[in-house]
Amino acid sequence: MSDSLSTDVLIVGGGVAGLWLNARLRRLGYSTLLVDKGVLGGGQSVKSQGIIHGGTKYALSGALTGASEAIADMPRRWREALAGNGELDLSGVRLLSDAHYLWSPGTLTGNLTSFFASKAVRSRVGQVKGSELPPALQDSRFKGKVYRLSELVLDVPSLIQRLAELSGPGLLKAERIEPLRENSELTGLVVDGRSIRAQRIVLTAGAGNAELLNALGLAQPAMQKRPLHMVIVKAPTLKPLYAHCLGGGSKPRITVTSHAAEDGEWVWYLGGDLAEAGGVARDEAAQIAAAKKELAELVPWIDLSAAKWATLRIDRAEPAQSALARPDNAFLAEQGRLLVGWPTKLALSPDFADRVEGALVRDGIQPQPLAPLPELPRPAIARPFWEGLV
Ligand code: FAD
């Protein structure tokens, strides 16, 4: 590859953040080129649980925090996009559930009583009973309480597919990324030997941002990784469930999402406290044993004797925070033409795009007339992670 290219905005990383941003910028008339070294969505995005949080679960730690406030508008923005009348046309993306549930397995302890009594939570949740309960909890032995949250759960592979369709011809698969400097200013990137000049360069490579910054000789912004050890269970007896099971602590005991496998069986994807530090310390067999124990306690009416189990280790990549605290918003740092960031949540991708768009507007970056792109090697799209695992 030797022909050089020019674009208004060069994006590195085709997870949900890069792809959403790419589609938004194209709608505004900017030319874009998005480079990915792997498969689109194949980092954290396709391994996420696809919950479009409105922030209510963060209120578990007490009064509403910054996280709850910043994220509160996201379900509305995603709903509009899914209906085809929002900032992007995401019609065709599969909605797995129109609601996410908070599920308390027994009587509410003091901590949870005050959580549900708080004004912020009362305005966001409604209790459901009987036939309104999620299918997996409709059993005479179920004794807990369930509250419906107006938060969506998306099929992330179909989201990535749709965002890739909205990318037009400007997707490029490439391995090697080096800085392109002219008069000691960063003016673009050399991508697998091909120079690409851009008015702005945005790094949205998730956990790959650290390596890219290193290649550009930059130490900031620093990145942190928070590891998770998720559990996957597939069984003919499973029915769909999208819920945080509350345990009384500041994190859900488990968070369950459900995904239809190609053979028609349901796969449950288990996160929450089970997948946090204690789970990270366990090896695969011990983690599966811990998950079996949790489900035997929480949903004993589901026969899992024919279930297949697997675990998945994956890091959340975010800007470094003191004491590994959870960042509140999408994060964007700027250095000249270079912008670097992490959405910190799939749900916050619109917030991330707002920040980049705000920086372009502030700097008076206008779309330039440019030659059409040649045919480029295109990255593939990630497959559902559970296929082939269970
Ligand atoms: P990624 O999805 O990681 O994408 C990065 C891309 O960059 C990849 O395609 C990769 O191939 C590419 N790349 C990497 N290095 C390079 C390089 N050197 N050159 C070129 N390309 C490169 N958030 C929610 O809102 N709701 C949830 O329910 C939720 N559940 C989650 C569950 C789990 C288990 C995890 C780990 C996270 C979850 N999150 C959730 C968080 C969410 O997944 C992430 O915040 C989001 O997907 C990050 O998107 P991204 O585009 O920044 O990164």
Side-chain angles (χ1 to χ4, degrees), residues 15-361:
V16 68
L19 288 168
W20 185 289
L21 172 67
N22 186 50
R24 275 267 298 266
L25 295 179
R26 280 172 51 83
R27 263 205 158 184
L28 293 169
Y30 291 103
S31 65
T32 60
L33 241 170
L34 184 150
V35 181
D36 198 294
K37 73 169 183 183
V39 290
L40 299 174
Q44 292 167 84
S45 296
V46 90
K47 295 165 196 129
S48 81
Q49 293 192 282
I51 306 164
I52 306 301
H53 302 284
T56 315
K57 80 164 181 175
Y58 303 128
L60 268 177
S61 51
L64 272 191
T65 63
S68 330
E69 300 298 351
I71 207 164
D73 199 28
M74 292 302 140
R76 177 192 64 80
R77 290 177 67 174
W78 281 84
R79 260 181 223 284
E80 287 175 3
L82 291 166
N85 53 25
E87 58 207 65
L88 295 180
D89 178 2
L90 296 187
S91 46
V93 172
R94 280 187 23 234
L95 189 61
L96 293 175
S97 179
D98 193 38
H100 196 67
Y101 294 85
L102 288 174
W103 151 39
S104 168
T107 44
L108 296 182
T109 57
N111 194 358
L112 286 178
T113 312
S114 46
F115 167 71
F116 283 110
S118 77
K119 192 164 163 247
V121 173
R122 270 190 287 125
S123 64
R124 292 168 183 226
V125 305
Q127 193 174 355
V128 293
K129 292 179 179 169
S131 61
E132 290 175 336
L133 287 171
L137 301 182
Q138 289 187 21
D139 187 279
S140 56
R141 283 160 287 178
F142 176 65
K143 296 282 179 273
K145 287 189 168 25
V146 178
Y147 300 82
R148 184 183 195 278
L149 287 176
S150 194
E151 299 183 352
L152 314 170
V153 190
L154 297 183
D155 174 59
V156 180
S158 72
L159 168 66
I160 300 293
Q161 172 79 45
R162 178 65 186 144
L163 290 172
E165 283 164 19
L166 297 176
S167 294
L171 292 176
L172 171 61
K173 177 163 170 69
E175 280 290 329
R176 205 158 33 86
I177 293 179
E178 294 151 307
L180 174 66
R181 288 206 174 85
E182 289 164 308
N183 300 323
S184 62
E185 190 202 343
L186 185 76
T187 54
L189 298 173
V190 182
V191 174
D192 278 357
R194 186 198 310 248
S195 301
I196 305 179
R197 290 184 180 75
Q199 300 194 65
R200 288 292 178 272
I201 303 149
V202 188
L203 305 185
T204 56
N209 275 350
E211 171 199 326
L212 287 166
L213 285 168
N214 195 31
L216 298 179
L218 299 170
Q220 294 295 329
M223 187 182 89
Q224 75 183 26
K225 289 187 192 172
R226 287 190 301 142
L228 287 172
H229 195 183
M230 306 290 286
V231 178
I232 298 141
V233 51
K234 181 174 181 233
T237 46
L238 287 176
K239 292 179 185 163
L241 179 62
Y242 303 91
H244 297 300
C245 174
L246 305 175
S250 66
K251 290 225 162 96
R253 182 167 161 183
I254 55 169
T255 297
V256 185
T257 51
S258 308
H259 310 267
E262 278 166 4
D263 63 6
E265 281 185 16
W266 284 100
V267 171
W268 276 13
Y269 191 32
L270 307 178
D273 205 36
L274 171 74
E276 298 277 349
V280 170
R282 288 189 276 267
D283 65 15
E284 181 175 14
Q287 181 67 340
I288 289 173
K292 283 182 176 171
K293 187 162 171 282
E294 280 291 73
L295 294 188
E297 259 180 49
L298 295 170
V299 285
W301 52 88
I302 301 180
D303 175 8
L304 291 174
S305 54
K308 295 190 194 112
W309 299 82
T311 68
L312 179 79
R313 288 186 187 273
I314 173 93
D315 292 331
R316 291 158 292 185
E318 304 161 336
Q321 304 271 303
S322 55
L324 292 190
R326 186 196 311 103
D328 287 350
N329 304 300
F331 173 91
L332 186 71
E334 302 178 47
Q335 300 181 30
R337 278 182 203 223
L338 183 70
L339 292 85
V340 187
W342 295 268
T344 75
K345 285 259 143 223
L346 176 135
L348 284 165
S349 301
D351 182 36
F352 181 77
D354 288 351
R355 286 162 199 266
V356 175
E357 194 188 316
L360 298 183
V361 170

